[in-house]
Amino acid sequence: MRNSALVIVDMQYDFIDGSLACRNADNAVKETLKYIDSQTKGQGGEEHEILDTFPILFTRDHHPADHSSFTGFGGTWPSHCVAGTRGGEIHEALLPYVNEELTFDKGCDRTVEQYSGFEGMNSAGQSLGEILELLDTTDVYVCGIATEFCVRNTCEDLLKAGFKVHLLKDCIAYVDHDGHLKALKEMAEEGIGIE
Ligand code: VGL
Ligand code: ZN
């Protein structure tokens, strides 16, 4: 039997309308909501029922204010997704689907830039990969921000761990359009389904 789950990568305000606003971000949020609806139709919208049949997991970029990826602290990115700020919050339209146990933070250590959500941790210290295994997941659907960085690294780690990975191409946002297309092409060559 196939068991599917959805992983929503870094759909946080700094990547949508904040310091690192990405292209197609508003549209990606809308398309993600449509996708969730299409997968959960007929379930009455009850959160627990949705979670039973189609778990939705979230990753968050979650940095301290002096993170080493920020300009001013040795890095190249503007300050973004600082823990406790609006920029670090998940878009409000998605909040009905957010569940603490299924929310995984990464980039928390100031010395490490962690693009992949795979090793992100929930508040109980469990990783995304660990929880997907506990859920007997075979197929992981991925959407979020940004194609070239966190989405790509998360997809590649999922693939390496043995999951079948399906990237929802209408539900992703990106830093650069050419970079996005190049990343999609390379991911397809690696065996990630672009759907
Ligand atoms: C990301 C740049 C810096 C991402 C995170 O989520 O793709 N990009 N930190
Ligand atoms: Zn970051």
Side-chain angles (χ1 to χ4, degrees):
M1 184 168 129
R2 290 151 63 93
N3 281 319
S4 297
L6 175 64
V7 172
I8 300 180
V9 176
D10 299 4
M11 276 196 163
Q12 298 161 275
Y13 284 114
D14 270 339
F15 295 128
I16 297 168
D17 63 10
S19 60
L20 255 174
C22 287
R23 290 164 187 263
N24 198 49
D26 282 325
N27 192 51
V29 172
K30 273 191 216 122
E31 290 294 326
T32 297
L33 289 164
K34 263 202 236 166
Y35 179 77
I36 293 172
D37 268 357
S38 74
Q39 295 305 302
T40 56
K41 251 194 316 237
Q43 294 182 18
E46 288 292 328
E47 192 183 340
H48 64 274
E49 294 176 59
I50 292 172
L51 292 173
D52 284 349
T53 55
F54 186 61
I56 302 174
L57 298 80
F58 287 82
T59 71
R60 290 195 305 192
D61 216 29
H62 198 75
H63 297 311
D66 61 351
H67 194 261
S68 59
S69 75
F70 298 169
T71 53
F73 299 92
T76 53
W77 297 112
S79 169
H80 63 276
C81 298
V82 172
T85 65
R86 173 188 180 271
E89 283 171 20
I90 292 170
H91 192 287
E92 64 180 351
L94 293 163
L95 291 182
Y97 307 103
V98 174
N99 166 310
E100 186 179 329
E101 279 172 58
L102 299 182
T103 301
F104 302 86
D105 289 338
K106 62 189 174 59
C108 310
D109 179 336
R110 73 163 299 279
T111 63
V112 187
E113 177 62 300
Q114 220 178 351
Y115 288 139
S116 170
F118 188 72
E119 285 169 353
M121 293 283 180
N122 69 11
S123 59
Q126 298 163 299
S127 73
L128 177 86
E130 201 176 325
I131 294 291
L132 286 172
E133 297 223 341
L134 286 173
L135 293 168
D136 282 331
T137 310
T138 55
D139 288 57
V140 185
Y141 291 78
V142 179
C143 65
I145 312 174
T147 313
E148 308 97 305
F149 299 97
C150 292
V151 170
R152 180 173 188 168
N153 280 273
T154 303
C155 285
E156 289 176 345
D157 277 355
L158 288 165
L159 191 70
K160 273 185 220 147
F163 297 101
K164 188 154 175 35
V165 184
H166 310 261
L167 178 57
L168 302 171
K169 70 173 182 330
D170 296 330
C171 307
I172 47 185
Y174 36 88
V175 174
D176 171 79
H177 190 248
D178 286 345
H180 163 76
L181 294 177
K182 181 166 179 279
L184 288 183
K185 182 170 173 285
E186 289 171 0
M187 283 191 273
E189 286 163 5
E190 291 164 9
I192 292 161
I194 313 290
E195 293 165 23

